[in-house]
Amino acid sequence: MQLLATQNAAPELAPALEPLRQGANVVVTGQQVGLLGGPLFTLHKAATAVALAREATDAGHVHVPVFWLASEDHDFAEVNHITFPARRQLRKLSYDSAPSAAASVGAVLLDESITPLIDQAWELLGYSDAMEWLAAAYRPGQTLAGAFAEFYAKVFAGHGLLVLDAAGREAHRLGAPVLQAALEQADELHAALVERNAQLVAAGYHAQVALAEHGSLLFLIDERSGDRNALKRTRATSEEPRGLWQAGREKYSTQDLLGILASQPERISPSALLRPVFQDQILPTSAYIGGPAEIAYFAQSAVLYERILGRLTPVLPRLSATLLEPAVAELLDRHELSLETIFASTEESLAQRLAARAMPVAGKKLLASAGNALDLELTALTGYLESLDEGLGRSALVSASKMRYQMNRLRRMAANFELQKEASLGRHAQAVVQALYPHGGLQERMIGAAYYLARSGDGLVDKLIAEAAGGCPGHKLIRL
């Protein structure tokens, strides 16, 4: 565990490292390294790993939580931005200094253009310990992976969370047996995945990761350009009975690639399906904490685990939650709104709902009475006409539909009048939707974790760990 000790040298982490030296196992989670701490669900993942490691330890099986930095990905555009609430809008901050050459996102070196983004974050989040940690971590000269790791080390200080960046030579040397198996058993593993995908489809699921006809589970980092090229298999021929490999324009034999793995292991990188197997070659993992997509990966990766490691690591769901700040909670309580209602609404439809609810009782009764009477009479009339003639019945249904549309239009007109009279209802709908279902997506995927850490202080991490205890079978609403 020297690699973990080297990367987690802070004195406060010594109590977490010692159990590993004594043979403890780990609960692992991970995420791409993102700008300014990444989205909220990153925090949920780490909290779940801490909670489940504690539960196992309390039950007499000592475990340590580990956060795996997915720093080898090359999709910079996927991680170079973050969104924070800004009064009545959402503000997207982007770091646009893309690397001049192909590089893993974790290795991207932050330049001076990170400073104005930190200034904007100060303006949006205000002063807090979390903002201090953010400003200290995301500084010019630091890598994106280093900044991410430094920030979360501060956030989870005292909770024993270890962080591991496996992009370097030493980590790849430790994981080399998995990479070697992926080279030597490439065709067998590909066939097993094809069969597993067919089984998933036949069972009514879909394969989360599509398989290219001549694809593999590996990437090769170009020694000169730094490009991360997918390694592809070529067909066997009489001249090359074992087939060749191709990365970009270059071709390699299996022996060529095994030579690279032996001398420069960091140049061979696992795909999304192979990554958890690679990870569990390095770490004594008892369970992996994942989101929905990662859990779906494991349905495919299981065949790789069985053939390479001879075992399968359990994958457990992370905490999935919408955080409810006090001001928004007051609006939900006042208007008697549920989270399910908000998830089924747009800002406009929610405003209509609030206006309809605020309408005087006399108006509600009149609209309900008229609507019910109309529906009752139209149902009877269309049924009678249909019994006389099928064509006449179809025409009656069309006409009845138009009448019902006009009735609904009357309801909307009454609600719009109420909205104009009570402008605060529109603002309430906007505030609720922006906070809990921004842009029609889950809060945990859209809003940066640092926003909630800055607003809620140290107690947020403790609360999330407590909420994650005992497993996370569904989506929660957590009041702050």
Side-chain angles (χ1 to χ4, degrees):
M1 290 298 103
Q2 184 57 44
L3 183 61
L4 276 169
T6 301
Q7 294 188 16
N8 296 271
E12 60 267 25
L13 292 175
L17 289 166
E18 185 55 32
L20 289 176
R21 296 189 179 98
Q22 302 299 321
N25 280 13
V26 298
V27 176
V28 184
T29 191
Q31 182 58 32
Q32 290 170 300
V33 294
L35 183 67
L36 303 188
L40 176 60
F41 70 77
T42 308
L43 195 60
H44 294 343
K45 282 184 167 184
T48 308
V50 172
L52 298 191
R54 281 185 185 174
E55 286 185 4
T57 299
D58 291 344
H61 308 285
V62 180
H63 280 71
V64 175
V66 173
F67 195 102
W68 178 283
L69 304 181
S71 59
E72 292 188 86
D73 293 345
H74 276 53
D75 193 350
F76 182 68
E78 194 172 329
V79 299
N80 74 333
H81 57 274
I82 194 72
T83 298
F84 294 134
R87 295 188 179 181
R88 296 184 185 176
Q89 62 177 339
L90 297 174
R91 181 86 66 81
K92 182 178 179 179
L93 306 184
S94 296
Y95 179 75
D96 297 321
S97 294
S100 56
S104 63
V105 295
V108 170
L109 202 64
L110 299 173
D111 62 23
E112 294 295 336
S113 63
I114 192 64
T115 303
L117 289 183
I118 290 293
D119 291 341
Q120 291 179 61
W122 274 112
E123 178 186 343
L124 294 171
L125 306 186
Y127 177 80
S128 67
D129 287 342
M131 190 59 232
E132 288 274 14
W133 301 334
L134 207 64
Y138 287 83
R139 61 186 182 273
Q142 176 65 288
T143 63
L144 196 56
F148 189 93
E150 187 176 324
F151 176 65
Y152 277 100
K154 289 291 187 181
V155 170
F156 282 90
H159 295 284
L161 180 70
L162 302 178
V163 176
L164 177 62
D165 184 352
R169 176 169 293 190
E170 178 59 19
H172 278 246
R173 185 187 65 77
L174 293 172
V178 166
L179 304 177
Q180 180 177 338
L183 288 169
E184 294 177 338
Q185 304 171 42
D187 297 334
E188 174 193 335
L189 295 175
H190 188 271
L193 284 169
V194 169
E195 182 181 355
R196 172 52 58 90
N197 285 5
Q199 293 169 348
L200 290 171
V201 172
Y205 300 98
H206 75 278
Q208 184 72 18
V209 179
L211 297 177
E213 184 179 357
H214 300 295
S216 80
L217 298 164
L218 300 166
F219 293 88
L220 179 65
I221 309 300
D222 188 278
E223 194 170 19
R224 295 182 296 276
S225 68
D227 287 339
R228 185 174 183 247
N229 295 312
L231 276 166
K232 299 178 181 179
R233 292 287 283 151
T234 64
R235 294 185 184 278
T237 64
S238 56
E239 292 82 11
E240 296 290 346
R242 297 188 61 187
L244 291 174
W245 298 77
Q246 185 163 349
R249 296 182 179 180
E250 300 294 326
K251 290 187 177 181
Y252 304 86
S253 69
T254 299
Q255 284 305 122
D256 292 334
L257 294 175
L258 289 173
I260 292 173
L261 180 61
S263 61
Q264 299 172 289
E266 70 279 7
R267 288 184 57 201
I268 297 184
S269 178
S271 70
L273 289 178
L274 189 63
R275 183 184 295 162
V277 187
F278 175 75
Q279 161 197 292
D280 293 346
Q281 172 68 32
I282 297 173
L283 296 171
T285 310
S286 290
Y288 183 82
I289 307 301
E294 291 168 296
I295 291 174
Y297 287 167
F298 271 70
Q300 295 171 273
S301 293
V303 297
L304 305 179
Y305 270 99
E306 292 162 0
R307 285 163 174 77
I308 297 176
L309 296 184
R311 59 183 173 83
L312 179 61
T313 295
V315 57
L316 303 173
R318 65 166 171 82
L319 172 67
S320 179
T322 293
L323 306 187
L324 187 59
E325 296 184 88
V328 181
E330 192 276 329
L331 293 178
L332 260 63
D333 294 340
R334 183 192 305 182
H335 297 295
E336 298 180 350
L337 293 171
S338 68
L339 195 59
E340 291 77 13
T341 297
I342 295 159
F343 285 174
S345 303
T346 63
E347 190 176 304
E348 180 181 338
S349 68
L350 185 61
Q352 289 274 336
R353 183 186 183 92
L354 299 187
R357 185 176 179 276
M359 194 181 301
V361 173
K364 290 181 186 178
K365 286 183 176 179
L366 286 171
L367 283 168
S369 178
N372 291 338
L374 178 66
D375 193 59
L376 184 65
E377 296 297 335
L378 285 176
T379 299
L381 178 58
T382 53
Y384 171 71
L385 295 175
E386 190 174 23
S387 71
L388 296 177
D389 179 79
E390 187 178 340
L392 181 61
R394 285 197 299 270
S395 298
L397 287 172
V398 171
S399 296
S401 176
K402 292 178 179 178
M403 294 180 202
R404 289 189 174 98
Y405 170 81
Q406 291 299 331
M407 187 66 235
N408 286 331
R409 186 166 179 269
L410 280 176
R411 294 188 180 99
R412 289 195 300 272
M413 288 170 62
N416 283 335
F417 176 79
E418 203 65 37
L419 271 177
Q420 292 171 8
K421 190 172 69 173
E422 296 287 345
S424 62
L425 295 176
R427 293 196 297 271
H428 291 177
Q430 180 187 44
V432 167
V433 172
Q434 179 177 297
L436 306 183
Y437 202 47
H439 296 321
L442 289 177
Q443 173 200 84
E444 62 185 21
R445 304 197 68 85
M446 300 294 295
I447 309 298
Y451 170 79
Y452 298 97
L453 289 165
R455 301 270 291 187
S456 300
D458 295 341
L460 177 59
V461 171
D462 290 326
K463 190 173 188 67
L464 294 180
I465 292 171
E467 290 285 348
C472 307
H475 192 81
K476 293 186 175 184
L477 179 65
I478 300 176
R479 290 178 177 253
L480 302 179

